Amino acid sequence: MTAIGFEKHDHNRCIATALAEAETRCADQKLQLTPVRRRALEILLQRHRAMGAYEILDLLAADGLGSQPPVAYRALDFLVQHGFAHRIERINAYTACAHPEQDHIPAFLICRGCKAVAEAETELEQGRLGAAAQATGFAIERIVVEAEGLCPACQEHPA
Amino acid sequence: MTAIGFEKHDHNRCIATALAEAETRCADQKLQLTPVRRRALEILLQRHRAMGAYEILDLLAADGLGSQPPVAYRALDFLVQHGFAHRIERINAYTACAHPEQDHIPAFLICRGCKAVAEAETELEQGRLGAAAQATGFAIERIVVEAEGLCPACQEHPA
DNA sequence: TCACGATTTGTTATGTTATAACATTCATCG
DNA sequence: CGATGAATGTTATAACATAACAAATCGTGA
């Protein structure tokens, strides 16, 4: 929660909005946004960065919501499954989805210096990859697109 | 090594060719293709599939080439670093590069049924992702593109 | 040849991420 | 109520990865 300053209020509102939207959609789709799942999403929204499962587990535990790994992994699986969060393979971490309203293929820019992660848009990856899949009869269910490199700040201050 | 049948000889030649090319390129670029590194590459070429680091380590150990994890990870890092192999993030595994001769961004089709992996070509990802990176000043060093789904065989025989 | 520096390998120990398996709780509905 | 299915609690362990330091190897220049 560094350097949010006077935008803090806005961030709180944005968290509240996202949570409310999640609740609405879960109700619509008959999904159960249980306390553990809801709190996990809230944590991801609050920190607004990529977090490891164990880091989230610690925060859940602090609230008395489970203390063993499966609790965190199950909640995160649920959130990822339904598009409320994404898993970032390169760094084994999770982050709240930046636009959960629509179906999309997320793409991430991962800074290897400060570990910050930005979610970018991709057009449907169906360029060459989709063509290759179709040609071989492979049925794509999920696509991972992640770029690793250095953010502007870390380019200037090489650790 | 299933179902290679009468193509076995060809496969042996293909392994030998790939190894020879690796040796040539290492000589050119003053890279040391040491016994451990060479054997690791050979293992990946032989199996011709994605393999975990510990699986490779076991085979190295069987040849008396190191028995502790760092040995395998270091050899694999070398191979990946220089484009002789790729790491597949989604499944924490490694595979020999299908066309080590040229620089490229690999893309993988990963079957969640049988764990088979195919390497596809991608055009430079510089579509939307490159644009996003450029807009924010992010310097991309590596791009991961992986699709998970079901191969034709696993679509027909749902485990 | 010998000393050196750089690179690679050996080894110990530990850290980090993830899941299997089974018991328990809880809401829902016939 | 009692059965069913979903979620959670819990124990135990599997799977993946790296830090840190010691020892060996190898090329190179004095």
Side-chain angles (χ1 to χ4, degrees), chain B residues 32 34 37 66 68 70-71 74:
Chain B
Q32 303 189 48
T34 62
R37 293 168 177 177
Q68 301 305 318
V71 174
R74 287 191 288 229

Side-chain angles (χ1 to χ4, degrees), chain B residues 23 35 46 50 54-55 60 66-67 82 86 91 94 97-98 103 119 122 128 137 142-143:
Chain B
E23 268 170 359
Q46 279 172 344
Y54 277 70
E55 193 181 356
L60 288 175
S67 59
H82 297 99
H86 299 297
I91 56 176
Y94 300 81
C97 177
D103 248 12
E119 182 175 347
T122 34
R128 194 78 62 102
R142 184 185 164 214
I143 294 183

Side-chain angles (χ1 to χ4, degrees), chain A residues 54-114:
Chain A
Y54 279 72
E55 193 180 357
I56 291 161
L57 176 59
D58 285 347
L59 294 170
L60 288 175
D63 287 8
L65 294 166
S67 59
Q68 300 305 319
V71 173
Y73 281 102
R74 289 192 285 232
L76 290 166
D77 284 350
F78 171 88
L79 296 176
V80 169
Q81 192 89 33
H82 297 98
F84 299 115
H86 298 299
R87 175 177 162 84
I88 304 171
E89 299 294 341
R90 185 67 184 89
I91 57 175
N92 302 320
Y94 300 81
T95 189
C97 175
H99 10 269
E101 58 281 357
Q102 79 243 347
D103 250 10
H104 62 291
I105 298 170
F108 296 99
L109 300 175
I110 305 162
C111 179
R112 67 167 164 78
C114 62

Side-chain angles (χ1 to χ4, degrees), chain B residues 34-68:
Chain B
T34 62
V36 178
R37 293 168 177 177
R38 193 191 137 94
R39 180 67 183 122
L41 176 56
E42 191 179 28
I43 287 167
L44 288 175
L45 288 165
Q46 279 172 344
R47 313 293 151 144
H48 201 269
R49 60 182 174 78
M51 302 178 72
Y54 277 70
E55 193 181 356
I56 291 162
L57 176 59
D58 285 348
L59 295 169
L60 288 175
D63 289 7
L65 293 167
S67 59
Q68 301 305 318

